């Protein structure tokens, strides 16, 4: 499977791509080729990629295996190309999967607090110290948090001038530009979600099976293994994923 990121976005949620045996034979990155059976199951893959099996998933007598990605960045669009290789090294037709990772996490209460703080710093005469405090505060938060701060600021204080205009007026064009250009890192998809009326955080727990091959082979040995003939041991694990929920009203 060839992994390619279509758009880089800064930040953590494990992504799991399912594949049926024996068709998910290879994972090929930009600089290396990884075999699902020979590399990932034997533990020779990277720390970011591991072999697994979806918990309790079996269809028509076939087990559903997974490739678990731990290092995909949020707010990113990834394209994966999969192909199978038989014992003679012949490749199947390519199959392509495109997925978008979740938007970066934001602390909505914290974003609202920062918006209030910035308004108070901008309100009235702004001294050099207050300008620097506002600038440092806005530069220290992530791009997604900055987008949410802008939303809260405009929701509460736009009648006194919107966030962009007040930042340019209080901090000057150069500093305001350094702050505002960071918003370009947020995709239009996530930018739209960050303008939701409410954002709440929730932790989801998901069981999965982390699998390893019982067979031992020497590093660097190249051969095409048959997945169905590989002795595999799977260990049940749990992964906790913190994610945001977006909506027009507060959930329970």
């Amino acid at each position: 499977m060839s992994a390619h990121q279509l758009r880089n976005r800064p930040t953590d949620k494990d992504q799991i791509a399912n594949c049926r045996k024996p068709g998910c034979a290879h994972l090929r990155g930009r600089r290396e080729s990884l075999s699902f059976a020979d590399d990932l199951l034997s533990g020779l893959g990277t720390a970011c990629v591991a072999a697994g099996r979806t918990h309790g998933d079996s269809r028509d007598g076939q087990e559903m295996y997974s490739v678990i990605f731990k290092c995909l960045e949020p707010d990113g669009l990834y394209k994966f190309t999969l192909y199978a290789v038989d014992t003679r090294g012949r490749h199947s037709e390519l199959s392509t999967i495109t997925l978008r990772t979740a938007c970066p996490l934001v602390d909505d209460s914290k974003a609202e607090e920062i918006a209030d703080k910035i308004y108070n710093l901008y309100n009235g005469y702004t001294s050099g110290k207050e300008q620097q405090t506002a600038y440092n505060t806005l530069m220290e938060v992530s791009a997604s948090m900055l987008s949410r701060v802008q939303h809260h600021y405009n929701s509460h204080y736009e009648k006194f001038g919107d966030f962009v205009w007040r930042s340019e007026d209080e901090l000057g064009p150069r500093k305001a530009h350094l702050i505002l250009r960071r918003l370009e890192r947020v995709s239009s998809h996530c930018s739209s979600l960050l303008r939701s009326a409410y954002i709440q955080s929730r932790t989801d727990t998901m069981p999965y099976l982390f699998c390893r091959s019982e067979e031992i082979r020497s590093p660097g040995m190249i051969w095409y293994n048959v997945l169905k003939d590989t002795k595999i041991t799977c260990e049940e694990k749990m992964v906790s994923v913190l994610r945001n929920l977006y909506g027009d009203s507060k959930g329970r």
Side-chain angles (χ1 to χ4, degrees):
M1 183 164 66
S2 173
H4 176 60
Q5 186 173 11
L6 301 181
R7 182 177 62 251
N8 291 319
R9 295 292 175 194
T11 197
D12 307 303
K13 176 176 182 181
D14 288 2
Q15 301 291 335
I16 298 180
N18 291 322
C19 52
R20 293 191 184 211
K21 68 175 186 181
C24 187
H26 280 70
L27 167 67
R28 185 180 62 193
R30 293 178 180 177
R31 297 183 180 178
E32 62 179 337
S33 178
L34 293 178
S35 164
F36 182 84
D38 300 338
D39 294 324
L40 298 184
L41 284 177
S42 62
L44 298 181
T46 68
C48 292
V49 187
R53 194 166 66 203
T54 305
H55 191 272
D57 211 348
S58 179
R59 301 178 185 177
D60 302 326
Q62 290 187 326
E63 293 176 329
M64 184 77 75
Y65 285 93
S66 301
V67 179
I68 304 171
F69 297 91
K70 299 182 179 181
C71 301
L72 300 187
E73 295 182 350
D75 195 11
L77 192 62
Y78 288 83
K79 179 180 179 181
F80 298 90
T81 302
L82 303 90
Y83 61 89
V85 181
D86 65 16
T87 54
R88 296 183 180 180
R90 295 175 300 191
H91 290 200
S92 68
E93 292 184 4
L94 300 181
S95 178
T96 300
I97 298 173
T98 301
L99 65 85
R100 179 185 296 278
T101 52
C103 300
L105 294 172
V106 294
D107 184 333
D108 198 33
S109 297
K110 183 66 175 178
E112 192 166 16
E113 289 177 8
I114 293 174
D116 292 339
K117 176 181 177 180
I118 296 301
Y119 169 75
N120 290 328
L121 289 171
Y122 285 174
N123 191 28
Y125 173 75
T126 306
S127 67
K129 180 179 179 181
E130 289 170 328
Q131 288 179 349
Q132 192 62 40
T133 299
Y135 175 77
N136 291 343
T137 300
L138 294 174
M139 289 297 287
E140 287 170 359
V141 300
S142 66
S144 53
M145 273 289 283
L146 178 61
S147 179
R148 189 60 179 172
V149 168
Q150 180 185 33
H151 168 79
H152 280 302
Y153 188 99
N154 289 338
S155 296
H156 297 309
Y157 309 115
E158 191 170 21
K159 61 183 178 181
F160 303 110
D162 68 14
F163 179 76
V164 172
W165 182 84
R166 288 303 305 275
S167 295
E168 291 175 342
D169 185 56
E170 298 293 341
L171 304 180
R174 187 184 69 84
K175 285 187 175 180
H177 173 71
L178 292 175
I179 293 169
L180 297 173
R181 73 176 183 180
R182 298 174 63 231
L183 294 172
E184 298 174 3
R185 302 178 188 175
V186 183
S187 69
S188 58
H189 168 72
C190 289
S191 180
S192 176
L193 290 176
L194 289 168
R195 291 192 296 270
S196 300
Y198 297 99
I199 299 179
Q200 294 177 297
S201 298
R202 188 178 80 182
T203 301
D204 291 335
T205 303
M206 180 182 67
Y208 72 100
L209 296 171
F210 176 75
C211 301
R212 294 287 297 270
S213 171
E214 296 180 6
E215 300 172 358
I216 300 176
R217 70 182 180 92
S218 302
M221 180 179 178
I222 300 175
W223 53 284
Y224 295 107
N225 199 355
V226 180
L227 188 55
K228 67 182 180 63
D229 295 332
T230 303
K231 295 180 180 180
I232 298 171
T233 299
C234 295
E235 176 186 358
E236 184 174 73
K237 292 190 175 185
M238 302 290 289
V239 59
S240 295
V241 179
L242 182 63
R243 66 190 184 97
N244 285 328
L245 300 177
Y246 309 88
D248 296 328
S249 60
K250 287 186 177 180
R252 294 181 178 179

